[in-house]
Amino acid sequence: MQPLKIVAQMATGQVVTTDMYLPLDSILSYAWMRKNHPELLTISTSGDRLIDIDLSDVLERREENGEFFYACSFAIGEVKGEEIQYWHKRADQSDAEKYVDFGKRKGKIDTKQGAYKSYRNPIVIKLIPKITWYVKGDKTKIEELLNYITHIGKKRSQGYGRVSRWQILETEEDLSHLRAIPDKNGLYYTGVRPPYWLDTNIMQASIPDDERLLCKVM
């Protein structure tokens, strides 16, 4: 394991994210699934289908207050701007007969409520040309997993967060501690390891107040 600086050069800089954490260990976990269990990516990860992904051969595993986390910083970068776009969901009345069987009765799809309700929802897009992470890990294995990652952030299927190039650089500076670290006196209640949404991985934690982090700690 060695200190590494990992850089994602973004194609358009348009990244959809709510908390700005963008933890790389979570991204690598997704890549691990794509490599080892692609058939499960479209299946619910709840209950018995949840796979315990061990990245300890990829990233250094550390422990604090009896809880483990990976030596992998949160995202570092600079937001150059912000824009709002909208996504729409709208039922096509002319094609209604293809989806709803009214039998011999006359019918109408209700687009004001229920399953066919129309939506116009905003997407907040951050303009970030370059995103950097610091880790302590295995360079070869990280590079192998990043080959599976073409987009980061939310709304990837709509083209946001496209990565044009990954760089993995050796460095003497270890900033992998710039992340959520388990702390019984911490001010934050957040995930400390992937999957970050899992209840057992959410706990009190401290996050360094470092201006380089995209997630600005108040």
Side-chain angles (χ1 to χ4, degrees), residues 2-195:
Q2 63 184 125
L4 300 169
K5 177 182 178 181
I6 299 175
V7 181
Q9 300 286 351
M10 308 305 296
T12 66
Q14 294 177 306
V15 182
V16 181
T17 174
T18 53
D19 56 25
M20 305 288 281
Y21 290 175
L22 298 172
L24 187 66
D25 51 354
S26 181
I27 295 171
L28 292 174
S29 293
Y30 175 76
W32 187 95
M33 284 293 296
R34 285 197 63 184
K35 176 185 176 184
N36 296 283
H37 293 283
E39 75 283 0
L40 298 181
L41 286 175
T42 57
I43 299 177
S44 172
T45 54
S46 62
D48 296 337
R49 304 309 298 268
L50 182 64
I51 294 179
D52 185 15
I53 299 174
D54 184 1
L55 294 177
S56 57
D57 64 334
V58 181
L59 298 169
E60 182 178 276
R61 179 166 160 161
R62 295 174 179 170
E63 186 171 316
E64 192 74 33
N65 293 310
E67 298 287 348
F68 82 88
F69 60 98
Y70 293 110
C72 181
S73 78
F74 284 168
I76 293 172
E78 183 180 356
V79 178
K80 297 294 187 178
E82 180 178 297
E83 61 184 29
I84 297 178
Q85 296 184 10
Y86 294 85
W87 65 269
H88 300 82
K89 174 188 174 186
R90 187 176 294 118
D92 189 340
Q93 292 283 1
S94 64
D95 290 337
E97 68 276 7
K98 296 181 181 179
Y99 306 103
V100 181
D101 183 8
F102 295 112
K104 296 181 179 181
R105 298 177 293 107
K106 289 186 177 181
K108 180 181 179 181
I109 290 180
D110 187 352
T111 59
K112 295 183 178 180
Q113 62 183 351
Y116 299 99
K117 180 180 178 180
S118 295
Y119 289 96
R120 184 175 188 266
N121 286 347
I123 301 174
V124 179
I125 300 169
K126 307 293 184 179
L127 302 178
I128 314 171
K130 181 176 71 173
I131 303 176
T132 300
W133 296 266
Y134 287 86
V135 310
K136 195 169 184 182
D138 185 299
K139 184 178 180 180
T140 301
K141 292 180 179 178
I142 291 173
E143 183 176 20
E144 180 182 358
L145 289 178
L146 288 179
N147 286 330
Y148 290 87
I149 303 298
T150 58
H151 297 68
I152 59 178
K154 298 180 181 296
K155 303 296 181 183
R156 298 185 298 275
S157 62
Q158 298 179 26
Y160 296 106
R162 184 161 66 89
V163 179
S164 62
R165 182 165 61 103
W166 287 102
Q167 293 176 285
I168 306 177
L169 308 171
E170 297 181 11
T171 178
E172 295 182 358
E173 187 176 28
D174 183 5
L175 297 178
S176 60
H177 64 280
L178 297 180
R179 53 159 297 115
I181 296 176
D183 183 352
K184 295 178 180 178
N185 298 313
L187 299 178
Y188 304 93
Y189 196 68
T190 186
V192 299
R193 57 180 176 263

